[in-house]
Amino acid sequence: MFSYRRVKTDERDAADLADLLRMGRLAEAWIAPQDVREVRELVRYRHRLLGARTSAKAQVHAVLGKAGIQVPVNNLFGRAGAEWLARAGLHGTYRLRVDSLLRLIAFLSAEIAAVEKQTTGLLADDPGYRAVQAIPGIGPVLAAVMVAEFGDVHRFASPAKLCSWAGLTPRHRASDTKVHRGSITKQGSKLLRWACVEAIQRSGADTPMGRLRNRIVDRRGVQARSTAKTAAARKLLTLVYYALRDGEVRCLAERTRA
C-alpha cells in the first residue's frame, strides 16, 4: 500500500523506504559498468545514424517521384542505381537536392562503418559476443546490440525474467477468477526489441524460432503473424540467455524422440 497512501511527508517516506529495505523489497537499479556503457553508446549511436541514412534514401525516392521519374532498378543505391541516377533526367533544384542527399548518404555510410569497426574492437574478446552469433539470424551488429543492452546476464535468474525485462511478455491483469492478458508490455529497451524482431525475420524456417513461428501461423492463421514473431522472439532470447551465461547455445538442433 506504499504507493496508495494519502498522507505523504518526508518523514513518512523515509520510514517506509527503510521498512522496504529491511524486508528486502526495495527495488534496485543496476548501473552498467563503464565498458558496457561505452558499447551501449556506440550501438545506439549507430542506430541513429542508420535512421538518418534511411531517411535520406527515402528523400531521394520522394524527389524522383515529384519529378515523375520511374526507377528501373531494384537497388537505387547500388552500383547500377548510382549509374542510372547520374544519367537520370533531373534538372535544377531536383538535381541539386539528389546530389546533396547522395553525398550525405555516402558520409553516413562511412560513419556507420567506423562505428561498427570500433564496436567490434571493443567486443573482440567477449565470449558472449562470439557465442550469440552462433544463433541463426544474429550477426555482428545484432549481437553487439544484445550484449550491450543486456550487460551482465547473471543478474537475471532465468530466461523468463530476461524476456519480461525486455518487454516481450504479455500484460497480465487478474482479479479473483478473472484473468485478462493483453499485448506485450514493451518495457525496457526499444532497440533490443528491434534487434530481436530483426533476427527473427532473418532466421530460416528450419531454425527453432522459424519452426515455432510457422506452427503458430499454421494453427491460428496469417492474422497471427505478429503474435508468432513475438513468441519466436522469446524463444530467441532464451537461446541468447544461455549463450551469454554459459558461452554456448542450447537447443539449436531439432529434438529427436527415442
Side-chain angles (χ1 to χ4, degrees):
M1 301 301 292
F2 172 70
S3 58
Y4 296 101
R5 59 183 174 81
R6 295 183 179 180
V7 180
K8 288 181 63 66
T9 64
D10 291 343
E11 183 177 353
R12 279 180 171 268
D13 290 345
D16 288 335
L17 290 173
D19 287 338
L20 291 174
L21 179 62
R22 174 176 54 83
M23 293 183 292
R25 300 182 63 182
L26 184 63
E28 297 181 359
W30 182 75
I31 301 177
Q34 180 64 29
D35 56 341
V36 176
R37 293 201 299 270
E38 289 182 2
V39 178
R40 281 183 180 177
E41 192 73 18
L42 287 174
V43 298
R44 293 174 181 179
Y45 181 53
R46 179 198 174 278
H47 193 68
R48 289 185 175 275
L49 289 175
L50 194 64
R53 188 178 67 178
T54 301
S55 174
K57 290 181 178 181
Q59 291 181 58
V60 173
H61 282 280
V63 172
L64 293 173
K66 291 177 182 178
I69 299 176
Q70 186 175 4
V71 180
V73 295
N74 294 328
N75 183 11
L76 184 58
F77 305 99
R79 178 176 298 179
E83 294 176 355
W84 178 84
L85 273 175
R87 302 190 306 269
L90 292 170
H91 305 283
T93 303
Y94 290 155
R95 169 55 65 182
L96 183 136
R97 185 178 178 187
V98 167
D99 290 344
S100 174
L101 287 169
L102 291 177
R103 290 193 299 270
L104 179 59
I105 291 170
F107 173 76
L108 289 172
S109 297
E111 291 299 309
I112 291 172
V115 171
E116 290 177 353
K117 182 178 180 181
Q118 180 70 13
T119 304
T120 302
L122 291 177
L123 295 173
D125 298 328
D126 191 312
Y129 175 68
R130 296 192 298 270
V132 166
Q133 295 183 55
I135 302 174
I138 299 181
V141 172
L142 298 183
V145 172
M146 293 178 179
V147 170
E149 294 298 321
F150 289 149
D152 184 10
V153 76
H154 294 89
R155 60 197 178 102
F156 302 102
S158 66
K161 292 185 180 296
L162 178 62
C163 293
S164 177
W165 175 84
L168 287 172
T169 53
R171 299 181 183 275
H172 184 97
R173 295 183 177 88
S175 178
D176 194 21
T177 60
K178 296 181 179 180
V179 178
H180 298 279
R181 288 183 176 271
S183 59
I184 58 175
T185 61
K186 294 186 179 181
Q187 296 177 344
S189 172
K190 183 178 180 180
L191 178 59
L192 176 61
R193 289 191 298 276
W194 167 85
C196 292
V197 174
E198 190 72 15
I200 293 301
Q201 293 176 342
R202 293 170 180 265
S203 60
D206 58 340
T207 63
M209 294 76 67
R211 288 189 289 268
L212 174 61
R213 179 187 58 207
N214 292 339
R215 283 199 303 269
I216 294 175
V217 172
D218 293 341
R219 186 175 69 251
R220 301 179 58 180
V222 295
Q223 66 273 12
R225 285 177 179 173
S226 297
T227 302
K229 287 182 181 180
T230 303
R234 289 195 292 268
K235 176 68 174 180
L236 175 79
L237 282 188
T238 299
L239 299 180
V240 171
Y241 175 83
Y242 290 118
L244 294 178
R245 194 192 70 175
D246 305 332
E248 60 179 353
V249 185
R250 302 185 183 184
C251 303
L252 278 181
E254 181 73 17
R255 291 184 179 180
T256 57
R257 296 184 179 179

